[in-house]
Amino acid sequence: MPRSLQDVETVREPRKDDNRPRKRHIFLRIDSWIDSTVWNAGFKLAQWWEDTTIFFRRFRVTGWKKVVFEILGEGMTWGTVGSVLMLALALPAFEETKGNWRAQSDFAVTFLDRYGNEIGHRGIIHEDSVPIDELPDHLIKAVLATEDRRFFDHWGIDFLGLARAMTENARAGGVVQGGSTLTQQLAKNLFLSNERTIERKIKEAFLAVWLECNLSKKEILRLYLDRAYMGGGTFGAAAAAQFYFGKSITDVNLAESAMLAGLFKAPARYAPHVNLPAARGRANEVLTNLVQGGLMTEGQVIAARLNPASIIDRAQVKAPDFFLDWAFDEVQRIARPFAQHSLIVRTTIDMGLQNAAEDSVEASLRQYGESYHVKQGALVMIENGGAVRAMVGGRDYGESQFNRATRALRQPGSSFKVYTYAAAMEKGMTPETVVVDAPITWRGWSPQNYGRSYAGRITILTAIAKSINTIPVRLAKDKLGTELIAQTAKNMGIETPIRTDKTMPLGTSEVTVLDQATAYSVFPAGGVRSRRHGISQVLNYDGDILYDFGRDEPPALRVLSESANASMNSMLTQIPIIGTARKAALDNGIVVGGKTGTTQAYRDAWFVGFTGDYTTAVWFGNDDYTSTNNMTGGSLPAMTFKRLMDYAEQGIEHRAIPGITAPQPTPAKEPEVATAKPDENALPPLIRPRSLSTDVTRLLRTIGETFEKAPALKAPEKTGGRLAALGAEEKQTGQADPNAASN
């Protein structure tokens, strides 16, 4: 039966669901293609792997050969890992090579102290650098025989020499030979410090290879001879020859060359102007090295053995070398734009205070170093106004030129708490503000007090005087935040980057001694930045002033309000009375403020204190970060501070600490020496020599200020103008000067 027209039209009209089978068909094709492609790829990969395995089966070894290949394979694997690791550690060292590391040779600087006395030189061209080809042959041989016999055979690192040194040291049971090449020593002198760490040794090795790739052997040897410290405040063999023998480096004989070659490793121990017998003994060892190294015969050196070198008569020169190194860096920063680089620099250092500072650190280490198990110390003294008056960067510059006052980063411990309390004072708190000393947990960390006890409700004055740990942490957590504390420390003068982690309020972020002295000097300055500086003037040899600190530097900025600064001073001056720094209290009633600091495991001990006249930061510890014998900031650092400051405050007109109303003592007419000492083991106090009384000093200062403010005299317009005027006057009066003929 035929269908109706309507049914036919209905069949012919497409439906909306007719596209679904087509879509399913497309998806099935795509799915099929993916399946087949993946399967084919997997099949081909398996086939390739099987072919590769069959191919490499030809090289399969068995027996003892397999053991050898396994060892070699493991060695290559771990060697690659080690190379990548060492390269990662050395990358920071290569950053040093990006700068103009040759720039130091452009400067020749003569340094003067604050009174205009010459105290030292820095820079290479001050003493003419002699080309290697013009140096005596026996000098080159003596240096290479002692420092690096295989210098011309290695590429910066001498593995054979290192193995030989390790063998000799093992036989001797100690360090008798060094494995560093001459190139490694130059890398250390140019780019690194003397700090004894594994990281530095890795950097040194990579930089030695870099030097070998970028410089010739002659250039490396010349730089080494020019840059090495040779004792007596001299740098380079040319300067040492002039200082010790009074002659040019080209004229030294074999005995003198041997003595110079013996200075490179230990200039303080073998400096001939300090210990001539030791220097001659060392020179004899150098002569033996020449013979053992095959560079000379015994017959060639016998005359030098029988006639050892003599030096010219010189008094022992004691230069402030740590300060000069820092000042030389400052000069290069200041004088880089100047056309002239042969300069005379007037510094801020006071040699009387410098010698007293060195004596104080050395005396403390000699008297208490063994009992406290401490070997190093550093100190910086800044006068109110920012002038650095003394700097001690270590116990012996000849032994180690690493400046622990400016370059060593050490944890400050509780001496860092002043920045937390300063920020709190700026927020409106006062010394009488009550805080709670109780257990606290911050981000999973629970700091404890020194005595592991808690005092409950106390004032901020008590908290800082007793150096309680929980209070600065509670203030940082609830009131201030670590970012504000870090910014306060930076504003006060801390230049080292400060970490803002939760432990920062207790002094875990490293700083330098110079940083601490700079920041604390804000307190006696009334809350104004101290404008720390070591350079007063830079002049050329024509006498032109190229730089003047007072003229060219911006004025000091206020970093603490007067009220906050007065509150801090009122608290810090109580610490030597009722707090942890009682051994820092000075004689004659001079008011002292400051804060002690002791780090975890007694690795670092600090005292940073101030009077109205000076701020001094003192640190003691060990270069290898080993713990001391329970040394705290209130012990040896505080005693060293007192010894120096008792000397510094003698015979001067004292200034008051801002915010402290206690009267300042009147200086005694003549310093008196105590006739009896309560402690028989205590060292006698330092006595500051006086050439002028306080009244005369004040009068001369007033006269000098008057002359500076007086207007300059104007020269006559023409030469002889005054005589012509007098002659005209005589003609008018008809009288002549009866003394004219005699004049």
Side-chain angles (χ1 to χ4, degrees), residues 150 153-154 157-167 179:
R150 290 173 40 82
D153 297 324
H154 62 68
I157 304 175
D158 184 8
F159 294 101
L160 293 178
L162 181 61
R164 182 180 64 252
M166 293 176 63
T167 303

Side-chain angles (χ1 to χ4, degrees), residues 520-521 524 584 592-595 607-611 614-618 641 645:
Y520 271 68
S521 60
V592 174
K595 184 71 184 74
F607 181 72
V608 190
F610 57 88
T611 65
Y614 301 101
T615 301
T616 300
V618 183
F641 171 88
M645 295 299 284

Side-chain angles (χ1 to χ4, degrees), residues 410-417 504-508 596-599 606:
R410 309 293 297 220
Q411 291 185 348
S414 294
S415 64
F416 193 86
K417 294 176 182 176
M504 180 265 282
L506 298 187
T508 58
T596 58
T598 308
T599 62
W606 296 75

